[in-house]
Amino acid sequence: MPHAPVSPTDVLLRVRGTVQGVGFRPFVQRRAQGLGLRGWVRNDTEGVLIRAAGAAAAVAELRQALAAAAPGAARVESVETLGPGAGDPPPGPRFAIAATPVAAAPATAAVAPDLALCPDCRRELFDPADRRHRYPFINCTQCGPRYSILETVPYDRPRTTMRAFRMCPSCQREYDDPGDRRFHAQPNACPACGPALWLSRPGGPAGPAARGASALDEACAVLDRGGILAVKGIGGYHLLADAGSAAAVGALRARKHRGDKPFAVMFPDLESVAAAAELDAAARAELDGPAAPIVLLRRRPAAPLAAEIAPGNPWVGALLPYSPLHALLLARFRRPVVATSGNLAEEPLCTEPAEAELRLGGMADAFLHHDRPIAHPVDDSVIRLTPVGKVCLRRARGLAPAPLRLPVRLDGCCLCVGAELKNAVALASGDRVVLSPHIGDIRGACTHEAFLRSIGFLEQLFGASRTAVACDLHPDYLSTRYAAACGLPRLAVQHHLAHILACLLEHSHPAHGVLGVAWDGAGFGGDGSIWGGEFLLLDRNQARRVARLRPFRLPGGDAAARDGRRSALALLRGAGHPAYGEFAARSRLEAELPVLTRMLDAGVRSPWCSSMGRLFDGAAALLGLGSLNRFEGQLAMALEAAASPATAGGRRLALPLSPGSNDVPWELDWEPLVAHLAGAKAADAPGWAHAFHAALAEAVVAVAKAAGVGTVALSGGCFQNALLLELTVRALQQAGLRPLVHRELPANDGNISAGQAYAAALGLSSVVGGVPPPARASLPCVSPSPAS
């Protein structure tokens, strides 16, 4: 009921956050009209602007509702009350949605990620009486494509790829009706006016083999016959195959040159997920939520899935049909399907029909295309759930490009180009940093082009002119070379410092009074060696390397990253362990042993490293859990999967804290640990694997106590390991310390650009304890870096 007009008020409300493309304006209009307010709401380059005139109590209630009762997909960061300006339209007789003004300033509005099919649209999709029955592009204000169709902001239909489809009268009425669920739903469409499907076959007659519903039926027939189907989804093409057929999965693995890397599996519904994997309430909520990521779940022994899905791996990456097209396919096929990216290894997704048929022609037996253009390829997000919370492994569809807030303001606009693997780029300005979705390994030509396009779109999207660029310290990363070629002031940020700062950014934590633990495979150190088992003490905006994993050599450099046996040999040789020759014979390295021994002893092509990732590889190889990393992290995953507290039998391992060298006060000594693992029997491997993880967790506590801090930030790819993360968090908490872990960002190199943004805001890039740090400089006047 309208409020009485006491103490009349006329204000502007500035709302920032993810408030475009999520039904926010219709929500505001309905709430304001219900409160008897006059005025308007509109999108603009900063978010949403509201003019509300009426009773003071009603305005206050509207302001409170903006955050407390916003649509589920919205993310309100702030609501600011302003006085109306002379150029603002006056409030009319009723509250209305106003036209979006022509942009006159750089955009800072958050862009909504693509949203999974909502329950209301799902019901209509399968309702024979509904006019959108079985329409593969059904959507409303709470679901459907957003980022993947957006060409520029503010988010309105003319600024998306949907501008090519003119709404029919029925769709236009819905779009214009404040009481309709599709009021101002920008991708709104129906079979009469929207995108359409067709199916084609490689090598077949020119033109579509089937259209519309017939194309769907033909596509399912391909899967029924054990074929491989390429499907254009929201952010690019997937390759689908029957997940229960060893022959179909094997053929897909062979055609895609996939090796042993696990495939994701799309299930028809939650019940079919529960039949194949252990599924709790938290996993159900993630799978069925608006982001609908891939969720890693422990596979049941009797799961109706081909072993070739994930050879030797107890986990399955499960997801539900998040687009109406996938929902229709899975409802018809009624069985789980492999759903893997439509690309070759390390290439970006295919997004257009001609490109897909050219690049995927040797993989797919048929193509299910549609004609809604994809402005930006977006891969599936991946998460795993642990007893200490959610871990993000890949931040993409459904999660990115939602912005993060910088704990301190940054003057100017800094482009942050990230690392080389698992790349994501970021643009930082003021108190905000926006990360692109996951790009990948930018060493490939196609992925490097995607890297350049992502940079261009971020800058176009926000209309910002970069005044500085932040990059990794590694001089040979392609991202670093790009930064060097920009001709702008440049901040080269040490890799592991960026990891820690990314974790602090998530928690809005200042860069002092905290110990950062950065454990990964490799990062260029301040002393020119390979780091990866680092403890950085951040205090008064200075980073000091206070501890590290005791260095050991990597025979062959990158070859050792692929072959865990080499790391094991290096550890045994470094420890002077008598099992050195016996391990070489057992692991079939006997013929190579003389050469490897000379490399290790003379330091030829055997750089020093303090890499925790390579320690994991060596431990797995010593325990007989594997030899090679056929995909990144394979041996570490095998070590985690094998770890069993039930068989630990009281076994304990330790990494003693020893005096360090080269300005590093302490080192974790792996020698006693290696001695135990080298003598372990194969039957005891599960217990020793668990003891290995527990020893690392206890080592973190030991260093934290020695450093005298109360807060510990955990980052780096090793902390994607759920067991390591749980044991470390529990050990820190039991010691009365506060752990900070990643929730929104990946712990891996996908967070590096976010850490670079925080470093730019602080003017902090170097770690004391390697080479002497350069004189501190604030952006945009940055001193030349060691990577110059």
Side-chain angles (χ1 to χ4, degrees), residues 600-614:
L600 287 168
D601 291 350
V604 177
R605 294 180 56 225
S606 299
W608 288 105
C609 81
S610 56
S611 168
M612 189 61 71
R614 301 292 76 82

Side-chain angles (χ1 to χ4, degrees), residues 215-238:
L216 273 171
D217 292 339
E218 286 292 319
C220 288
V222 171
L223 295 174
D224 281 326
R225 293 193 296 268
I228 297 169
L229 178 70
V231 179
K232 184 179 180 183
I234 286 180
Y237 280 79
H238 276 121

Side-chain angles (χ1 to χ4, degrees), residues 354-435:
E355 173 199 19
E357 295 198 13
L358 178 66
R359 289 171 53 195
L360 307 179
M363 302 184 213
D365 297 306
F367 292 83
L368 189 58
H369 300 299
H370 64 73
D371 58 355
R372 182 176 65 204
I374 296 172
H376 314 287
V378 188
D379 218 327
D380 295 319
S381 292
V382 185
I383 68 165
R384 70 185 305 187
L385 301 173
T386 79
V388 293
K390 179 172 71 175
V391 176
C392 179
L393 305 182
R394 184 167 68 200
R395 188 173 185 262
R397 177 189 52 76
L399 301 177
L404 298 169
R405 187 177 291 276
L406 282 168
V408 295
R409 289 189 65 84
L410 171 69
D411 294 331
C413 178
C414 185
L415 172 66
C416 307
V417 294
E420 192 163 77
L421 301 178
K422 297 182 176 63
N423 181 272
V425 297
L427 203 64
S429 182
D431 63 352
R432 173 174 298 196
V433 55
V434 179
L435 272 72

Side-chain angles (χ1 to χ4, degrees), residues 15 65 89 127 183 185 226 242 257-258 285 293 317 320 325 351 364 379 471 625 627 673 701 713 718 727 729 778:
V15 188
D127 180 1
F183 182 44
D242 184 351
H257 308 295
R258 182 75 169 196
L320 292 179
L325 176 55
T351 58
D379 218 327
C471 62
L625 298 173
S627 299
L673 179 150
V701 175
C718 290
L727 292 175
V729 167
S778 299

